[in-house]
Amino acid sequence: MATRNARLRRLRAVASVGAGLAAGAAVALAAQRPALHSLRTRIERLEETAQTQRQTNFAHQQRLHWELLSKAMDDPDLAEVLDAYNGTVPPRKQRQFLFANALYTNALCYYRMGNMTREEFFGFARSMLQNPVFREYWRATHPHRATLIDASEEAKLGRMVDDLLVQLEETDIDEWWVVGEPPPE
């Protein structure tokens, strides 16, 4: 019986130590919870700051793009630098193409920034494709878009506009604003 009591006491001691360890772990975990929450909050803020910085950089790049195109549109000597048509496009038409590029790039950036839905982008493209100069620009720059990575957002939107142009050319109705269905987001 003395052996039995000794075993029972040891078992109780081990159980007490185990319960103490479990309680200590629970207390330690509870004490760390605010620190973990604080770290999670900091990480979320850093991610938001990084996203804001990317958007700021993107907007700055868009502005720089416009400034460069504006200079080329104003100065035929600078426009020659952007002649990607092997001299087959007269200077006046090239300036128009540069402006068409600026309009399209602006809409593309607006879409990427989240300020325009895919459906709105589609409507913009449908409207721009009513202009013969924009259509000519779009056809002339097809080889340039062919170099884009197929999975990129820009390539997908370019193919969407390509398809829309085909649909607009094949339609026999005057209501151009109803031609085509914007692809889902």
Side-chain angles (χ1 to χ4, degrees):
M1 182 138 180
T3 308
R4 194 170 161 189
N5 284 340
R7 283 187 195 156
L8 193 55
R9 276 187 296 227
R10 272 187 263 148
L11 187 59
R12 283 184 189 148
V14 168
S16 292
V17 169
L21 285 174
V27 168
L29 185 61
Q32 290 179 354
R33 183 166 285 174
L36 290 173
H37 177 70
S38 175
L39 285 173
R40 192 173 301 125
T41 302
R42 273 197 216 154
I43 290 170
E44 287 171 1
R45 276 195 227 124
L46 285 173
E47 288 171 348
E48 288 171 8
T49 301
Q51 178 64 23
T52 301
Q53 185 62 49
R54 279 191 294 276
Q55 288 177 341
T56 300
N57 292 345
F58 197 67
H60 179 72
Q61 180 60 38
Q62 172 64 16
R63 180 69 186 156
L64 181 60
H65 179 258
W66 170 249
E67 288 174 11
L68 292 170
L69 285 179
S70 292
K71 287 180 181 189
M73 284 183 277
D74 292 341
D75 185 340
D77 291 337
L78 295 179
E80 284 182 32
V81 175
L82 296 176
D83 184 0
Y85 314 102
N86 300 321
T88 59
V89 175
R92 180 177 182 269
K93 180 69 72 181
Q94 186 178 10
R95 283 192 305 278
Q96 291 173 333
F97 281 8
L98 291 172
F99 189 72
N101 174 269
L103 288 174
Y104 179 75
T105 303
N106 184 60
L108 184 65
C109 289
Y110 213 60
Y111 171 77
R112 285 181 174 166
M113 292 171 72
N115 295 335
M116 178 186 288
T117 66
R118 184 179 291 258
E119 187 173 343
E120 290 168 330
F121 183 88
F122 184 83
F124 164 83
R126 184 168 41 201
S127 174
M128 289 307 300
L129 288 170
Q130 297 312 300
N131 182 290
V133 175
F134 189 86
R135 281 187 190 214
E136 189 177 354
Y137 155 77
W138 195 255
R139 286 186 199 100
T141 56
H142 186 271
H144 307 158
R145 288 186 306 283
T147 65
L148 296 173
I149 298 171
D150 275 350
S152 73
E153 190 69 29
E154 186 173 353
K156 290 175 186 176
L157 291 171
R159 284 191 302 273
M160 178 182 78
V161 176
D162 289 339
D163 293 343
L164 178 58
L165 178 57
V166 169
Q167 292 173 33
L168 286 165
E169 289 174 337
E170 291 176 350
T171 190
D172 59 352
I173 61 172
D174 291 332
E175 292 90 10
W176 57 266
W177 55 91
V178 297
V179 174
E181 281 292 318
E185 289 289 330

